[in-house]
Amino acid sequence: MTGSTGGHVDGRLTGRLIGLGVTGSIAAYKAVELLRLLRAEGADVAVMLTPSAAQFVGPLSFAALSRHPVETDLLGLLPDGRIGHIVVGDTADAIAVAPATAHFLGAMANGLAGDVVTATCLASRAPIVVAPAMDGDMWTHPATQANVTRLRDAFGYRIVEPEQGSLASGQSGVGRLADLGLIVDAIVAAVADRPVRVPEPAARPPLVATAHDADLTGRHIVVSAGGTREAIDPVRFIGNRSTGKMGVAVAEAALARGASVTVIAANVEVPLPRTATVARVESTADLRAALLRLTQRTDGTAGYDALVMAAAVADFRPVAPADRKLERAARLAIELESTPDLLAEVARIAHGLDSHGAPTRRPLEPVPVLVGFAAETGSLERAGEKLRRKGVDLLVANDVSEPGSGFGTDTNRVTVLGADGSRDELPLLTKRGVAERLLDRVALALDARDAARQTDATTAQRSPEPA
Ligand code: CTP
């Protein structure tokens, strides 16, 4: 973990502090992903939640990801005694309110500062970007439209208009939160003609140092590590060069972040963390059995929250291994058959699909986050297709022929692809560094998964509050 609060050094928002205000819309959970995108653009982000937003998605994910305390209480003070909304209002380069409810638009248009989000906007001279989300009739109501016009024309706010689509009410209409990429673009445009200021750390919002350290508390992470071996005869095998370093680095980092960890160790050559539960396996068939034991539980729950499949699994195995040591001969032909794709099989079970991808049973509850690794030689062109073929959420691709990457090294240069189309090209990092960056994504995906489940449960229980 570094002391820096920004994301990538070459992002469009590097050096900027963005205030992110989240109001009580059913789309509030999408603000977690927006925060991630802003961080990926290099922004330092301070989040404010209205009380109703905090009912949809809790402050912990935002704090862990932004590394700043989350403002929820207008009257609350920062841990260092300063007034949070004034600090953010004074220091932010731009403020984004996403999703913005009809209530926010009305309050803001009239200068009413009854919560931290409106108060911060009122207390700031920074450009303000507003992305409304609400029911279609609320959006087209003359009151809402008049408020939007006032914010845009009289106050100079940038409005990222909602889109057509299905709404929380089950109806279809204009009211869905705009595409997150468009909101990021609007924030980039809002700060584009302003110089990047040298940050004054003392004036900025304080950091929370511990959030990241405990962000996997209560999670069970399964990591496969090493390489499988396929017997030719009782003494010989077909194996691969994997040492297990990458998988062990993920296991150690997950333990340090509070997770309970099971390592499925296939011929690992490095010491295994003592506090992990360890299942030792030899062949692909053993690894499959260990994975299925954890995945296919009788009660339909997943036995873990995330699976990180770092093991190098043999793609071929001898069709008929000899049961006695083969004797020396001038030639030996061994017939090989392909092994099953274990990760794809786990993904099908997790999502309740049959081998053709058709729904066949209930998905696991909750669906675990699945991470694959792809060792490529030459280019990462095939990685996107591999992510889809395997049905995983994240795929860590690396070019093992590149110096400093691959088997037995202590470093790795990887690109993390997401099922959402995201693509993070990480610099050359230690394997522990790669593990930490990967677990940032896993922690976030788990928080987003839980927030979405909570939102679904809330929607099922009661009619949605005003979007
Ligand atoms: N994997 C698996 N079962 C297999 C082969 C691979 O679960 N039989 C997993 C690996 O653990 C890794 C990911 O799938 O997380 C990608 O492995 P890779 O060898 O790159 O992919 P393959 O499916 O073998 O594709 P190809 O050999 O065509 O590159």
Side-chain angles (χ1 to χ4, degrees):
M1 202 160 99
T2 67
S4 131
T5 52
H8 293 182
V9 283
D10 52 356
R12 291 181 296 166
L13 293 170
T14 300
R16 308 291 193 175
L17 173 67
I18 306 298
L20 175 59
V22 184
T23 66
S25 156
I26 203 131
Y29 73 93
K30 294 184 184 171
V32 179
E33 180 63 10
L34 178 60
L35 168 55
R36 193 186 73 74
L37 294 176
L38 294 171
R39 297 278 293 151
E41 289 284 359
D44 189 9
V45 185
V47 179
M48 292 86 63
L49 300 181
T50 63
S52 56
Q55 285 190 23
F56 283 100
V57 44
L60 219 58
S61 320
F62 290 112
L65 202 66
S66 69
R67 301 195 50 223
H68 290 294
V70 172
E71 298 281 323
T72 50
D73 179 3
L74 182 60
L75 302 176
L77 296 178
L78 289 171
D80 57 15
R82 291 179 295 161
I83 303 169
H85 62 271
I86 302 292
V87 172
V88 176
D90 283 351
T91 54
D93 293 286
I95 296 171
V97 183
T101 57
H103 183 269
F104 167 83
L105 302 174
M108 207 59 234
N110 290 286
L112 298 177
D115 58 59
V116 276
V117 178
T118 44
T120 308
C121 293
L122 207 61
S124 184
R125 281 191 234 154
I128 295 182
V129 174
V130 176
M134 65 196 70
D135 167 71
D137 290 329
M138 291 173 82
W139 172 247
T140 48
H141 194 285
T144 306
Q145 288 303 310
N147 291 330
V148 169
T149 305
R150 179 137 205 248
L151 294 179
R152 180 168 34 217
D153 298 346
F155 300 180
Y157 287 14
R158 289 164 193 259
I159 311 293
V160 188
E161 301 232 343
E163 295 175 350
Q164 168 84 35
S166 59
L167 302 170
S169 57
Q171 294 168 353
S172 181
V174 176
R176 273 171 74 93
L177 184 69
D179 182 80
L180 298 181
L182 293 178
I183 301 173
V184 174
D185 289 346
I187 297 166
V188 170
V191 297
D193 55 357
R194 298 172 153 238
V196 176
R197 297 175 299 171
V198 180
E200 285 172 49
R204 288 201 162 196
L207 292 174
V208 280
T210 54
H212 172 124
D213 300 342
D215 62 356
L216 291 172
T217 303
R219 307 291 194 189
H220 179 197
I221 311 280
V222 176
V223 183
S224 73
T228 58
R229 293 177 179 173
E230 307 303 325
I232 297 171
D233 68 16
V235 292
R236 304 181 182 95
F237 58 82
I238 299 175
N240 61 64
R241 295 183 194 280
S242 175
T243 57
K245 275 188 180 171
M246 188 64 237
V248 167
V250 172
E252 284 171 346
L255 287 164
R257 290 165 77 149
S260 65
V261 173
T262 299
V263 180
I264 310 180
N267 313 294
V268 169
E269 290 169 23
V270 293
L272 293 167
R274 270 182 298 149
T275 47
T277 303
V278 176
R280 290 188 190 271
V281 297
E282 169 91 12
S283 65
T284 302
D286 300 340
L287 174 54
R288 177 170 182 270
L291 279 171
L292 293 186
R293 248 194 323 274
L294 284 159
T295 309
Q296 281 183 314
R297 304 206 308 179
T298 44
D299 60 0
T301 62
Y304 47 86
D305 293 289
L307 168 65
V308 180
M309 194 69 180
V313 185
D315 285 323
F316 298 99
R317 63 187 166 206
V319 173
D323 48 18
R324 299 182 53 186
K325 187 183 168 196
L326 295 172
E327 286 174 21
R328 177 193 287 271
R331 265 165 205 273
L332 173 65
I334 304 171
E335 194 185 344
L336 303 178
E337 63 182 1
S338 65
T339 55
D341 187 329
L342 307 185
L343 195 47
E345 188 174 354
V346 169
R348 285 197 300 272
I349 296 168
H351 294 281
L353 304 175
D354 67 14
S355 54
H356 304 289
T360 175
R361 63 184 104 73
R362 286 164 67 91
L364 295 181
E365 177 55 36
V367 179
V369 170
L370 302 178
V371 182
F373 276 71
E376 305 288 333
T377 43
S379 97
L380 303 184
E381 246 169 58
R382 298 182 328 135
E385 181 273 326
K386 199 175 271 189
L387 175 133
R388 283 184 292 282
R389 172 159 49 89
K390 304 219 174 229
V392 292
D393 302 282
L394 296 168
L395 188 79
V396 185
N398 71 335
D399 177 355
V400 287
S401 60
E402 207 185 277
S405 275
F407 302 113
T409 60
D410 290 320
T411 54
N412 224 348
R413 184 196 308 279
V414 306
T415 298
V416 182
L417 289 92
D420 57 1
S422 61
R423 193 184 167 97
D424 282 351
E425 287 180 25
L426 303 185
L428 187 68
L429 293 168
T430 59
K431 287 191 171 170
R432 178 62 181 257
V434 172
E436 298 286 3
R437 297 289 287 268
L438 177 62
L439 291 175
D440 288 347
R441 295 291 302 267
V442 170
L444 190 58
L446 288 169
D447 288 347
R449 176 191 79 173
D450 292 352
R453 287 172 73 216
Q454 172 121 25
T455 308
D456 289 348
T458 313
T459 318
Q461 271 169 20
R462 59 181 163 131
S463 57
E465 51 180 271

